[in-house]
Amino acid sequence: MHLARVVCRRCERSITGIEDASPDVRAFINRLSDYIFTLTRYVMHKREMCDTLAKQAAAFATADE
């Protein structure tokens, strides 16, 4: 799930550089990323898992910027 969010965020950054990209597409990708993040947190909470994967994914995502 974290990897899916990272890919979604990369897509969002790529779309930002495209002038012809629809604002609706940008908003959808942004909301999709938010949804994946929230879903991941929920699943981890239900499974009583530690949230270190979220910290690692965030560090990985910011390393690309």
Side-chain angles (χ1 to χ4, degrees):
M1 287 184 173
H2 290 294
L3 182 58
R5 181 168 181 258
V6 169
V7 170
C8 192
R9 297 290 291 165
R10 283 185 188 160
C11 178
E12 184 178 5
R13 288 192 301 272
S14 296
I15 289 173
T16 302
I18 300 172
E19 292 180 19
D20 296 338
S22 167
D24 292 335
V25 172
R26 292 178 187 176
F28 175 79
I29 296 296
N30 181 269
R31 298 301 182 266
L32 180 61
S33 174
D34 292 346
Y35 172 74
I36 294 169
F37 177 76
T38 304
L39 180 63
T40 302
R41 296 291 305 259
Y42 174 76
V43 169
M44 292 183 74
H45 173 73
K46 284 300 214 182
R47 292 182 181 177
E48 298 179 358
M49 297 174 66
C50 181
D51 203 14
T52 56
L53 290 177
K55 293 174 187 173
Q56 291 172 352
F60 181 73
T62 56
D64 279 351
E65 296 176 350

